[in-house]
Amino acid sequence: MRVTIIGAAGMIGRKLAERIAATGAIGGTPVDAMTLVDVIEPDVAADFKGTREVFAADLTQSGTSERVIANRPDIIVHLAAIVSGEAEADFDKGYRVNLDGTRALLEAIQSIEGYCPRVIYASSLAVFGAPLPDVIPDTHQLTPLTSYGAQKAMGELLLNDYSRRGFLDGVGIRFPTICIRPGKRNKAASSFFSGILREPLNGVEAILPVEDDVRHWFASPRAAVGYIEHAATMDTAQLGAQRCMTMPGVSATVGEQIEALRAVAGDGAVALIRRAPDPAVAQIIAGWPRAFDTARALAAGFVAEKSFQEIIAIYLEDEMGQPALKGA
């Protein structure tokens, strides 16, 4: 099987590539060729035993999509995107990358007669916007309130239609906010959700820009990779015409995150969180959903964590090489 990961220099793409290199497979199916693409050349999975191609490319540039699928990959994982805060700050760039780049890829696939790869599209909870029910089903109308959410919703519609027409076999994954993200914060409005845990666990001050009662939907990086692995080999007949699903996760408030941190790492870690309200971030987050009914994804075989302490324990194990500190 041939796998192409677009956005392979990002956190999820890197972890997915490393997972494939370590196991030689995706979702239990052997992988003999892997292509890794991003706007900067990905530097991952050098130990992959099969054929490995790595290059820098921009899907918005003419000819790039054709190059990306030149070896006719069986599975294409499309993770490349401008994140929420940046897409809101730079309107033109957001649409160019998140919408135009996605359509260019799908058009390149469609142009090859007889070619029908599995395409896994990274979508977002931002496709939903207020007013919202307390618990949101997959059938809820897409009403995004940010440019990023609108771009992802358009991508979902394209994935559905190109799948309906038989040009590709799509699976759309609405990722929860991935937490705890390793490394440094990015330009996503949701970045602080990881920061208020990651920084204290590393003995560094963290900035909290919203109130403790803000509730959101979370999963670990390990779960994110698991979603993609499952999507790569699942039977898509059960999805019908609606190819996009919200993934299972953990609903938690900021206050509950902090208490999970306290249970795992103690009061000293919590004391490193400094509250500094940011109205711009708060306004973006206020329009986001808080909890989901993910019965459809669960029935299709997707899984995630059951508690926030479990999410913290995974960060400690995967990123810091240690077990949870106090009973996660």
Side-chain angles (χ1 to χ4, degrees):
M1 178 174 286
R2 299 180 298 276
V3 176
T4 291
I5 304 172
I6 307 168
M11 185 269 292
I12 296 175
R14 173 176 57 81
K15 286 182 174 291
L16 175 62
E18 290 172 350
R19 171 73 175 166
I20 294 171
T23 63
I26 186 167
T29 300
V31 174
D32 52 33
M34 182 162 54
T35 300
L36 307 176
V37 185
D38 211 318
V39 290
I40 59 172
E41 186 171 303
D43 182 22
V44 291
D47 54 341
F48 178 58
K49 299 299 190 296
T51 302
R52 175 177 171 269
E53 181 182 16
V54 181
F55 60 90
D58 182 346
L59 286 182
T60 67
Q61 300 299 311
S62 177
T64 295
S65 292
E66 289 75 10
R67 181 185 178 193
V68 166
I69 63 170
N71 69 338
R72 305 296 186 267
D74 303 289
I75 297 171
I76 301 169
V77 182
H78 180 23
L79 297 166
I82 296 300
V83 295
S84 55
E86 188 173 3
E88 198 67 13
D90 192 332
F91 181 86
D92 292 338
K93 184 178 182 181
Y95 272 90
R96 185 171 66 252
V97 173
N98 294 342
L99 179 58
D100 298 343
T102 296
R103 180 143 192 235
L105 174 65
L106 301 188
E107 280 291 288
I109 294 169
Q110 182 269 333
S111 70
I112 303 170
E113 186 174 355
Y115 179 47
C116 185
R118 173 69 53 87
V119 175
I120 302 168
Y121 174 66
S123 190
S124 167
L125 305 183
V127 299
F128 300 107
L132 292 168
D134 290 339
V135 179
I136 303 158
D138 264 5
T139 54
H140 192 78
Q141 182 178 357
L142 304 188
T143 54
L145 291 178
T146 63
S147 294
Y148 175 75
Q151 293 147 14
K152 286 298 182 180
M154 293 175 194
E156 289 194 8
L157 292 173
L158 288 170
L159 190 78
N160 284 340
D161 197 41
Y162 280 65
S163 295
R164 180 184 66 84
R165 296 295 299 268
F167 302 140
L168 53 86
D169 184 15
V171 182
I173 294 175
R174 296 187 193 116
F175 284 97
T177 286
I178 301 304
C179 188
I180 303 168
R181 299 180 70 95
K184 298 179 181 179
R185 64 172 296 164
N186 61 21
K187 295 182 180 180
S190 59
S191 182
F192 73 89
F193 285 121
S194 286
I196 61 172
L197 304 172
R198 179 186 59 237
E199 271 71 274
L201 287 170
N202 287 278
V204 178
E205 182 184 76
I207 304 299
L208 174 58
V210 302
E211 299 296 326
D212 285 23
D213 61 355
V214 167
R215 179 176 291 277
H216 201 49
W217 189 249
F218 302 95
S220 73
R222 188 187 294 178
V225 171
Y227 301 150
I228 297 170
E229 289 194 288
H230 182 64
T233 56
M234 68 178 289
D235 179 4
T236 56
Q238 63 190 294
L239 301 182
Q242 302 303 320
R243 294 302 184 108
C244 302
M245 295 167 287
T246 303
M247 293 294 102
V250 175
S251 179
T253 65
V254 167
E256 288 166 347
Q257 283 187 272
I258 293 171
E259 288 310 307
L261 175 65
R262 192 189 311 276
V264 172
D267 292 339
V270 172
L272 289 169
I273 300 172
R274 179 167 64 85
R275 288 168 169 78
D278 185 330
V281 171
Q283 182 177 7
I284 291 175
I285 299 297
W288 287 2
R290 297 169 177 81
F292 292 87
D293 175 358
T294 60
R296 186 167 178 247
L298 291 168
F302 293 93
V303 297
E305 294 77 28
K306 304 295 185 183
S307 71
F308 220 99
Q309 285 194 38
E310 186 180 351
I311 289 174
I312 294 175
I314 286 171
Y315 175 80
L316 290 170
E317 181 178 351
D318 289 357
E319 307 301 334
M320 299 184 72
Q322 63 186 68
L325 300 181
K326 283 180 56 178

